[in-house]
Each structure stands twice: as structure tokens, then as C-alpha cells.
Amino acid sequence: MIFVFFKTMKLRFTFSILLLSICTYAQQATSNVTEKHLSVDADTLVGIDNFGSVFFTKNNVFYKKNKDTTISYNNLQLGKLTSAHIFNPLKINLFYKDLNTVIILDNRLAEIFRVDFNAAIDYKNVSYVSSGFDNTIWLFNQDTQILEVFDYKKRKTIAQTLRPINDPILSITSNYNYCYVLTTKALLVYNYFGSSVAKVTNDGFEAITENNEALILKKENKLFHLNLDTKTTRPIETNGILISQFFAINQTLYIYDGKSLQKLQILTK
């Protein structure tokens, strides 16, 4: 009887410790450990690929820099470079809003496609562009307030959202499967058919990045993980780094403070 009593107490104690550990995990935020500092003289840090190449803009020139070489793309005739996306480093897209034009570059920053929406049969007044699957880009048509999936080889829209996005847009990011549109009121998620798959109220977030469908949002110089299933966020410890731009690759978070690129390994407690 004494043996049974102690065995039962031991099981209860073990279960209590396990339960406490689970509860502690659920309450703790994602933390990070700074691994590396890299000085970057850039106006805008665009991103970094899986090979460690850094993409950035400086004086309206787009650069790709690795350990051995630095190459660039510049097109003064198109005016100010509005945005650049390197989700697919073999098909980088550059957007020049002033001339309503998108340039597609290969991994050597050679121009392989150019889309002038002013000269297109189906004119579009584009205000945002992001990477899509295969030979497509996501674009926001400012006149119709519609998000479109545009095939730049076929020069036509192959999908679009059913309803307009009327609230001001703060940020757009995407991958092969989804486009994430952060407005002043909500985060809107669409699949590549243009169908709405999620909507989360925006509680003061200003910018968003995505990696493997994991979402990170910025609010008041703080970063948060967003769980789309539960529509809840968890803070990410960034050690007080000034956040100018941020992006993630696999389990690594990169933060640019305006002078240096800080590499943080995401660790979940």
C-alpha cells in the first residue's frame, strides 16, 4: 500500500511539472540571440537570399552584394525606384511608380522583362507590386482598388479579388501561395485565385514580412509573431534594436537599423 501511495504521488508530481512547463511555454514570448553585425550603407535594405547575398538600394540604384562582388542595376529614365522584391531571386521585380512600370531582373541583375502599364492595352494605374508564383506578380490597381495576379509574360490579369480594398494600404508582402495586405484597419490574406482566406483586425501594426507563411509584424519599434489560426500575436525580443527594415529567412530574423544589419536566430522557449 505504501508503494502504491508513493507511486501515485510521483505520477501526480510529474504530471504537475509537465503541466506547469506547458503553461510556461504558452505564456513566454519568442526570444532571439544576436549572432552577427554587418555594416551596410543603404537607403533601403531589401533583403538577403539563402546564399548570403544582400540586396539594397542606395541613391536610387539597386545593388546585390556578396562576399566577393557587388553588382547593380540603375535606370534613371524610370525615375524613383518605389519598391523591390527578391522572394524569387531568379525573377526579382522592381517597381517604378512614377512611370507605372515594372522591371523583372535575373540573379545577375540583367533585365529580362519590362511591363509599362501606361502602354498596355488594359491600362492599369498601379500603386503596389509584390512577387507571385511562376511568371506572375501581385499588383494593386489604384483606380479599381482591386488586387490582381498579373502574368507579365502573357501581359494579362489571370486572377483578382472579388471586392475592392477601400482602406489605405500600409504594406504588401507575398509568396507563391498567398498575398498579405496590411491596411490601416485589417490584415487581409488572399490566395492566388484572388479568394479571401483570412482577415485580422489591425491593432496598430505598421508593417509586415513573411517567411514560409509565418508572419511578423511591426508596431512601435517592436516585432510580433502572428498566428493566423488563432488571430493572436506573441512579442519577439529584439534587444531594443532600432527597427528600420526587417525580414526573415527560415528561422533567422534580420533587422536593419539604418547603419548595420543585425542577424538574430529565433529561439522559442
Side-chain angles (χ1 to χ4, degrees), residues 44-47 55-57 61-63 81-87 91-96 103 105 129-131 172:
T44 302
L45 192 69
V46 176
F55 297 81
F56 62 95
T57 66
V61 180
F62 181 71
Y63 290 93
L81 175 58
T82 306
S83 67
H85 291 88
I86 63 162
F87 176 75
K91 297 177 181 178
I92 299 165
N93 67 74
L94 306 183
F95 176 46
Y96 295 84
I103 303 294
L105 308 177
V129 171
S130 191
S131 300
I172 288 182

Side-chain angles (χ1 to χ4, degrees), residues 101-114:
T101 298
V102 173
I103 303 294
I104 308 297
L105 308 177
D106 64 15
N107 62 338
R108 296 184 179 182
L109 305 193
E111 184 176 325
I112 52 178
F113 286 99
R114 177 182 296 215

Side-chain angles (χ1 to χ4, degrees), residues 48 209-212 214 216 225 246-255 266:
I48 187 168
T209 191
E210 178 276 342
N211 178 244
N212 295 330
I216 300 175
H225 273 299
F246 64 100
F247 52 92
I249 300 176
N250 300 323
Q251 293 298 311
T252 303
L253 177 65
Y254 293 88
I255 299 176
I266 300 175

